[in-house]
Amino acid sequence: MKVLLSEPQRIDIPFVMGHSFACKTNDSGRKNREFCKKKRMKKFITTPIYYVNDVPHIGHAYCTLAADTLARYWRQKLGRENVFFLTGTDENSQKTVDAAAAAGEEVMPYLDAMAARWKETWEEIGIDFDDFIRTTEARHHKTVHEVLTTIHGKGDIYKGKYEGLYCTGCEAFLKASEVDEHGHCPHHKKAPNVVEEDNYFFRLSKYQDQLLELFEKNPKLLEPEKRRNEVLSFIKSGLEDISISRENAEFGIPLPWDKSHKIYVWFDALINYRSGCPSEEFWGNTLHLLGKDITRFHCVIWPAMLMSAGISTPAEEYAHGFFTVDGEKMGKSLGNVISPLDLAMKYGNDGVRLGLLSSFEFGNDGDFSQEQFHDLYNKKLAGGIGNLFNRVTVLIHKFLEGKSPTESTAFDAKTLQHFGERLEAKKIREAIETMFHVMDDANELLNSTEPWKLAKTDLPAAEKVFAELIPKLATIAKMSETLLPEAAPKMWKMIGEGKKVGEAAILFQRAE
Ligand code: MSP
């Protein structure tokens, strides 16, 4: 399944949305270029780091593919060196220790094997991350120590007694009001552990007003609106200080000033974004993508930790929805967990990416239907885009001896601008729809003009149709660098260099 990709075609992108990077021209050319280089925005894109007690399923792949897709878009716009995409694994968790024990293995070898499995899965399905961080790495421990020492020095950590409920599944403390009628964690359907121990606490309550102010000033601190409102009402309901260490934990990062305590896994995990960030320039434009279940950690605890540590808060956070599979919650017990690798075997990496990201709009909840996924692949990719490219190149070979009727890179700038706007708003499904519209438009032109008939009676008229079709194909190829990255280089080959079109090829095999 691993396909080596060539670098995407570096063509100046006609869509420049949001920030403008237009450089003023004056005679001091070199100075000006340097100024522009410095002014170039950098973008840091992250996924949550995944627990390694299990293998990746399509729920995890969903967020990772979305982040990869956005990273590819931003690389196209800003240049590869200005975008940094980080993913990784969350390893200092009790879940992991339990999973290693259940597998009859020592913790570290188990973690090494599982982290490798996650990393390889992402590589196999075509995720082009810039770095993969593990929270057991020394570089992460170092950053955690620095951040915690600063927060401690600020007087925001104190020792107290924790008495309450802890759910290992969530790796979170639960309030008595949060358990269901059976006294179980509503997500894991298990009774949480009752714990009573000396812990260190973080003064989260101190940051309540600052957090509200931060939200007010920064509408992108959490999107979509629905999630933002949930978190805002949680903050307004009154924040309590949180326990940030466990006295009896077997595994984890010790507190810098009291080695008998291990840092609470979420408090260490969030810091991965700092450990894995290449520089302050990137940090200034951070986009965290996450699931809707972990917004309180990312949009309440995390910004408060950063404010306490004197580090700037993320520019943007976006929470996506959850999906069910054929109407059911995905879970091991239901036996409906789908591996992205299994899907990729049948539909290819582009098929998985497009199928998952178009199931429903990023940000909403939705259902993943296997049947719909299969039909979409055959209709829109194999029978749609694939067939379109094949037909057009075959016809140009047949009637124009392969001579390209127009400049291949003349894309439709307006459509690309719209496409870029949709991606910058994280409306990934709408961006996909934009690509399908171009495809429908091209097919309509082809079917209404029938250039295969026209060519026999009026060759120049047929040539004109092909000249109109090529920019449409180029527009699709340009969008595919983001949405269908394995097909994109093959598309450019078929479109050719402006003089001759390439050989016709099958972009997507029909799935049985
Ligand atoms: N380790 C924490 C994250 C720490 S980030 C500093 C964690 N890990 S997780 O492996 O349980 O979940 C990772 C992500 O997968 C979450 O964003 C979660 O929302 C997402 N998903 C897990 N199941 C999912 C679906 N069924 N659908 C969509 N996303 C899902 O939480």
Side-chain angles (χ1 to χ4, degrees):
M1 201 52 52
K2 205 178 275 179
V3 179
L4 280 177
L5 291 178
S6 59
E7 271 286 290
Q9 282 237 340
R10 293 298 293 268
I11 299 160
D12 262 342
I13 306 170
F15 49 98
V16 178
M17 291 306 308
H19 311 254
S20 166
F21 307 114
C23 295
K24 290 183 203 93
T25 39
N26 60 27
D27 13 71
S28 54
R30 194 182 55 84
K31 256 192 181 165
N32 203 25
R33 269 198 305 280
E34 269 169 20
F35 167 80
C36 292
K37 229 178 169 178
K38 272 194 204 134
K39 281 301 249 186
R40 273 235 148 171
M41 186 174 96
K42 303 216 183 279
K43 190 106 188 158
F44 181 45
I45 300 176
T46 69
T47 70
I49 46 170
Y50 301 99
Y51 289 129
V52 290
N53 59 318
D54 210 346
V55 290
H57 60 55
I58 52 170
H60 309 121
Y62 182 62
C63 187
T64 315
L65 280 165
D68 183 72
T69 301
L70 295 182
R72 286 174 190 271
Y73 165 75
W74 282 106
R75 282 181 195 138
Q76 232 184 19
K77 182 165 167 172
L78 304 178
R80 172 139 207 152
E81 65 286 6
N82 292 313
V83 179
F84 200 89
F85 167 27
L86 177 74
T87 188
T89 43
D90 188 352
E91 304 184 13
N92 300 311
S93 147
Q94 185 58 38
K95 284 185 207 235
T96 332
V97 180
D98 295 346
E105 288 178 38
E106 291 293 323
V107 180
M108 254 347 269
Y110 174 84
L111 291 180
D112 289 343
M114 290 303 284
R117 205 154 157 194
W118 279 79
K119 193 172 176 206
E120 279 157 19
T121 301
W122 297 151
E123 284 165 350
E124 288 280 304
I125 66 163
I127 306 288
D128 187 7
F129 49 80
D130 292 296
D131 199 356
F132 187 96
I133 184 137
R134 299 180 55 191
T135 55
T136 44
E137 285 176 83
R139 61 171 169 156
H140 177 65
H141 282 226
K142 184 171 170 274
T143 313
V144 168
H145 270 228
E146 282 163 11
V147 172
L148 266 103
T149 305
T150 312
I151 297 179
H152 188 229
K154 182 107 180 257
D156 281 346
I157 291 177
Y158 63 92
K159 203 167 184 184
K161 198 169 210 50
Y162 182 81
E163 287 177 32
L165 305 172
Y166 189 83
C167 171
T168 318
C170 296
E171 288 290 12
F173 300 97
L174 299 184
K175 288 186 186 164
S177 59
E178 285 174 326
V179 296
D180 66 13
E181 66 274 23
H182 310 290
H184 290 173
C185 159
H187 303 295
H188 295 90
K189 308 284 174 218
K190 267 195 200 155
N193 299 332
V194 180
V195 291
E196 187 185 334
E197 56 186 36
D198 282 339
N199 282 176
Y200 286 90
F201 285 78
F202 170 60
R203 292 189 200 279
L204 183 63
S205 59
K206 176 178 154 186
Y207 290 92
Q208 174 151 342
D209 290 343
Q210 284 180 60
L211 280 168
L212 289 173
E213 204 181 311
L214 189 70
F215 267 91
E216 201 164 298
K217 278 196 195 139
N218 182 359
K220 290 193 162 187
L221 189 61
L222 177 57
E223 290 179 305
E225 178 110 21
K226 187 169 183 254
R227 302 294 161 224
R228 178 185 175 85
N229 291 340
E230 276 169 12
V231 165
L232 272 173
S233 66
F234 174 73
I235 301 174
K236 285 178 186 157
S237 74
L239 294 180
E240 288 172 18
D241 293 347
I242 55 161
S243 162
I244 60 143
S245 73
R246 306 295 311 277
E247 199 175 8
N248 302 314
E250 292 169 58
F251 196 75
I253 309 180
L255 277 175
W257 60 89
D258 182 349
K259 304 271 186 268
S260 67
H261 280 250
K262 302 283 191 319
I263 300 167
Y264 167 46
V265 62
W266 266 101
F267 220 70
D268 113 51
L270 288 161
I271 298 172
N272 91 84
Y273 301 129
R274 271 305 273 182
S275 320
C277 182
S279 75
E280 290 303 325
E281 274 177 295
F282 280 98
W283 187 255
N285 208 353
T286 294
L287 164 63
H288 294 317
L289 296 183
L290 49 132
K292 65 171 186 177
D293 54 329
I294 53 178
T295 51
R296 286 187 194 175
F297 296 102
H298 280 81
C299 304
V300 181
I301 300 180
W302 181 223
M305 285 167 71
L306 290 168
M307 286 194 269
S308 172
I311 302 168
S312 60
T313 49
E316 292 180 73
E317 303 207 31
Y318 199 94
H320 63 80
F322 257 52
F323 54 85
T324 45
V325 170
D326 293 324
E328 301 230 45
K329 195 172 172 219
M330 192 169 36
K332 262 194 208 162
S333 51
L334 285 165
N336 63 352
V337 176
I338 302 174
S339 152
L341 292 173
D342 290 348
L343 274 188
M345 291 284 277
K346 190 157 175 195
Y347 301 101
N349 288 344
D350 286 344
V352 174
R353 180 182 299 255
L354 208 90
L356 288 182
L357 294 178
S358 66
S359 288
F360 51 91
E361 190 52 86
F362 198 63
N364 296 349
D365 289 326
D367 189 49
F368 170 79
S369 145
Q370 302 242 34
E371 207 181 307
Q372 224 175 303
F373 182 93
H374 182 87
D375 291 347
L376 178 119
Y377 174 84
N378 277 338
K379 197 165 153 229
K380 301 282 194 181
L381 294 187
I385 291 179
N387 192 36
L388 172 68
F389 271 78
N390 193 274
R391 265 170 102 192
V392 172
T393 36
V394 164
L395 289 172
I396 293 179
H397 275 289
K398 186 160 174 194
F399 296 111
L400 304 179
E401 292 165 348
K403 190 179 147 285
S404 186
T406 181
E407 276 291 303
S408 62
T409 53
F411 343 91
D412 174 349
K414 217 168 144 209
T415 303
L416 282 179
Q417 167 146 352
H418 177 73
F419 175 76
E421 281 168 3
R422 297 298 76 213
L423 285 177
E424 291 187 23
K426 291 100 186 163
K427 299 282 180 208
I428 303 177
R429 189 186 200 207
E430 288 179 16
I432 296 173
E433 287 299 321
T434 309
M435 181 173 73
F436 288 152
H437 279 148
V438 182
M439 171 189 87
D440 289 343
D441 197 35
N443 272 328
E444 209 179 291
L445 178 66
L446 202 53
N447 294 334
S448 63
T449 54
E450 300 183 317
W452 54 93
K453 285 189 187 157
L454 200 58
K456 291 178 188 155
T457 54
D458 186 351
L459 192 60
E463 195 169 345
K464 247 175 116 184
V465 174
F466 293 128
E468 259 189 79
L469 281 165
I470 290 289
K472 293 186 194 301
L473 298 196
T475 307
I476 294 175
K478 191 80 205 143
M479 294 176 181
S480 296
E481 287 174 1
T482 310
L483 298 176
L484 300 166
E486 293 192 354
K490 298 180 205 156
M491 291 178 179
W492 285 121
K493 252 193 175 160
M494 282 158 93
I495 293 169
E497 299 293 329
K499 288 203 167 52
K500 270 191 96 63
V501 296
E503 287 307 311
I506 307 280
L507 290 174
F508 307 100
Q509 290 288 352
R510 266 193 90 75
E512 293 314 317

